[in-house]
Amino acid sequence: MSHDLTPAGDPVGVPVEGWTPRPRPDRSPMEGRSVVLEPLDPARHGRDLFEAQAQSPGGRMWTWMPNGPFATLDDYLAWAGPAAAAGDPMQFAVVERASGRALGTASLMRIDPANGSIEVGYIAFPPALQRTVMSTEAMYLMMKRAFDLGYRRYEWKCNALNAPSRRAAERLGFTFEGVFRQHMVVKGRNRDTAWYSVLDTEWPRIRAGFEAWLDPANFDAEGRQKRTLEAARAGA
């Protein structure tokens, strides 16, 4: 990133012309072709989510999560009630449009309107969502909401040992920024945290790549992609 110099020759950041704090995101649904992201509602979504997430072999999807696994529906609802009421993280249920079933959750979190920074996190995608058009579209819709509101920075953080999450961040267009060592203690274990981001200046190309990849013309009659997301972004 470029910088200016003070009269004494010290480097300082370039001015952010006309900057004002950004609005906080609201809880309105985010609608796509394959999914709708709805504000988490335990009464409406809880059973579907518990049943979908219970399909993760050995509870593996919870390995790097700060919450879970949940042994019973009541256990899940005991987490989901306060989570749904919180303003940050702002939890959404990922609802399959075709069936109306809630399959997973994700949140907008660490919302910083003053500096225009926001993070996507608490991504709990069970096997029914993993490696699907639905999961990619859900991530696109959340990123789009942030940048439509004028945020400058969109973050993805994960346990540095979580190789699938790191691959997902790179596939979605995030840039790796480094590892914060001994950043957290999660479930009694050390967590080094890998940091990724997308900036507002990068968003137009990333958005075009998402939209090209999500276009129905990018899939054959069996639903197989013709171009990868990375290829679609490179051609944007």
Side-chain angles (χ1 to χ4, degrees):
M1 182 176 289
S2 61
H3 56 264
D4 291 340
L5 296 176
T6 68
D10 296 322
V12 291
V14 297
V16 183
E17 300 291 348
W19 175 255
T20 58
R22 298 295 85 200
R24 291 184 65 84
D26 63 25
R27 295 181 181 272
S28 59
M30 294 172 258
E31 300 201 15
R33 289 192 184 96
S34 65
V35 293
V36 179
L37 273 62
E38 299 178 354
L40 178 61
D41 180 344
R44 180 175 179 180
H45 305 126
R47 182 173 295 276
D48 282 350
L49 290 169
F50 174 73
E51 292 176 352
Q53 294 170 353
Q55 300 305 308
S56 178
R60 189 178 183 189
M61 63 170 283
W62 302 106
T63 298
W64 293 287
M65 296 287 288
N67 58 325
F70 301 96
T72 67
L73 174 59
D74 285 344
D75 290 339
Y76 185 76
L77 294 177
W79 170 82
D88 188 346
M90 185 180 291
Q91 295 277 356
F92 289 87
V94 181
V95 178
E96 181 180 30
R97 186 178 281 280
S99 68
R101 292 182 303 135
L103 297 179
T105 58
S107 72
L108 295 172
M109 58 187 289
R110 304 190 191 281
I111 302 166
D112 183 355
N115 294 299
S117 177
I118 195 166
E119 179 182 342
V120 61
Y122 272 95
I123 301 169
F125 284 3
L129 268 179
Q130 294 167 10
R131 303 177 66 85
T132 66
V133 172
M134 293 184 291
S135 64
T136 299
E137 186 169 42
M139 292 296 96
Y140 161 70
L141 291 170
M142 297 184 82
M143 198 181 299
K144 181 177 183 296
R145 170 149 296 180
F147 286 118
D148 282 355
L149 289 171
Y151 280 73
R152 306 174 64 226
R153 175 179 170 83
Y154 190 75
E155 297 179 338
W156 175 295
K157 302 188 187 84
C158 63
N159 191 309
L161 298 174
N162 187 348
S165 183
R166 298 184 69 164
R167 286 194 299 268
E170 291 163 4
R171 174 180 175 269
L172 294 169
F174 287 82
T175 295
F176 175 61
E177 294 183 330
V179 173
F180 277 34
R181 300 178 299 163
Q182 295 191 183
H183 179 222
M184 302 172 71
V185 177
V186 178
K187 296 178 179 175
R189 295 182 180 274
N190 176 64
R191 170 173 145 165
D192 296 345
T193 299
W195 288 54
Y196 296 81
S197 71
V198 172
L199 303 183
D200 54 354
T201 52
E202 299 161 342
W203 170 236
R205 180 179 63 88
I206 290 172
R207 176 177 179 168
F210 272 123
E211 292 175 353
W213 188 84
L214 290 165
D215 190 316
N218 188 45
F219 298 88
D220 65 19
E222 284 72 45
R224 294 177 299 224
Q225 66 179 359
K226 298 176 183 178
R227 287 196 299 170
T228 66
L229 181 57
E230 294 91 336
R233 188 164 57 247

